[in-house]
Amino acid sequence: DLTKPTIREEIIKKFAHKTDIIILNAGHGESGPLIEQPEERIRKVFEINVFSTIFLAQGFGKVMAKRRHGRLIFVSSMAGFVSVTTLGAYCATKHALEALADAMRMELKPFNVEVASLEPGLIYTGFNEGMAASKFDWLNKNSLYADSISDWKKRDETLPSRSYKVDIAAKDLFAIVTAKNPRAHNPTPRIYAYIKFFFQFLPTKIKDKILNS
């Protein structure tokens, strides 16, 4: 449980001095309309995706900086660049992670420590399906969005058919690990890099329609 400081300290003490590359992949997904999403679920997704991740990165990063060598790889998401209906809290954690990784990359550059982010889109691992289903643990007929529940379930059922195979993301992660000079941002599959580029030029109304379709 990386949310516990004692666990993180134990990991850092045991492994940081002999680690050249660390992949920060701890993640948790929660879904649901923000106006009704339970506080404890929002806090949990931030605790794991943001706070636990950055505090672990601090511990390894300090050791790497002292020896002037190392590489931190954050597993972020394309959700760090957009926000989607029922995924607001999760997207917010990935936006935060992108900002933290960018700052850490610039701060650690003088110490020869590299920081890169892998940013998966829809990858079929079961994670997205589980996250999508989590809202139905607490949504009920009294919800303001009761009329949308059926449509959300139908949309979520299409996730596997819209997702890419996990080996694509694995290859891209391996490329970051082995690259001499890894890119700071690494959308996977690479088609998301082009989508990300062109998406920034679209009017907000069109973006909203695409993201909520």
Side-chain angles (χ1 to χ4, degrees):
D1 185 354
L2 292 178
T3 63
K4 296 181 179 179
T6 53
I7 298 297
R8 293 196 301 269
E9 290 168 5
E10 183 180 342
I11 292 172
I12 292 165
K13 184 178 180 180
K14 187 175 181 178
F15 297 107
H17 69 284
K18 54 184 177 182
T19 299
D20 293 317
I21 299 173
I22 181 170
I23 300 169
L24 298 148
N25 190 37
H28 178 70
E30 289 285 350
S31 64
L34 273 172
I35 197 171
E36 295 182 340
Q37 196 166 19
E39 179 179 337
E40 65 272 14
R41 288 179 177 261
I42 295 176
R43 287 186 178 278
K44 183 177 181 180
V45 75
F46 270 87
E47 283 290 343
I48 296 174
N49 293 1
V50 181
F51 301 125
S52 296
T53 299
I54 198 63
F55 294 147
L56 192 63
Q58 280 183 335
F60 278 82
K62 287 176 184 176
V63 174
M64 291 176 176
K66 287 178 181 178
R67 69 171 185 242
R68 299 295 199 275
H69 173 73
R71 183 174 297 179
L72 301 167
I73 302 174
F74 290 87
V75 178
S76 180
S77 170
M78 289 306 296
F81 303 100
V82 297
S83 194
V84 185
T85 298
T86 75
L87 293 179
Y90 177 75
C91 290
T93 67
K94 294 303 182 178
H95 277 72
L97 196 61
E98 288 290 332
L100 292 166
D102 280 345
M104 189 170 280
R105 184 184 69 254
M106 292 182 282
E107 292 167 356
L108 288 176
K109 186 176 181 180
F111 302 98
N112 197 39
V113 177
E114 300 165 315
V115 178
S117 296
L118 180 72
E119 296 140 350
L122 286 175
I123 303 294
Y124 186 55
T125 63
F127 178 87
N128 291 324
E129 290 75 18
M131 176 168 60
S134 68
K135 57 183 170 288
F136 303 120
D137 293 341
W138 52 270
L139 276 174
N140 55 54
K141 62 181 181 181
N142 297 318
S143 168
L144 291 168
Y145 302 90
D147 293 340
S148 299
I149 291 177
S150 178
D151 290 336
W152 286 343
K153 287 183 176 179
K154 290 178 182 178
R155 182 187 68 179
D156 294 347
E157 288 173 356
T158 68
L159 276 171
S161 63
R162 292 187 285 125
S163 299
Y164 292 87
K165 293 181 179 180
V166 69
D167 61 337
I168 296 175
K171 288 178 181 178
D172 287 339
L173 177 58
F174 182 74
I176 300 173
V177 170
T178 57
K180 184 176 180 180
N181 296 297
R183 292 188 301 267
H185 298 282
N186 299 269
T188 180
R190 287 298 297 165
I191 189 173
Y192 281 106
Y194 302 105
I195 294 173
K196 174 186 170 185
F197 176 78
F198 287 110
F199 207 72
Q200 64 184 319
F201 300 109
L202 295 177
T204 299
K205 287 184 178 180
I206 295 178
K207 289 180 183 178
D208 289 351
K209 188 173 183 179
I210 293 172
L211 291 170
N212 295 309
S213 62

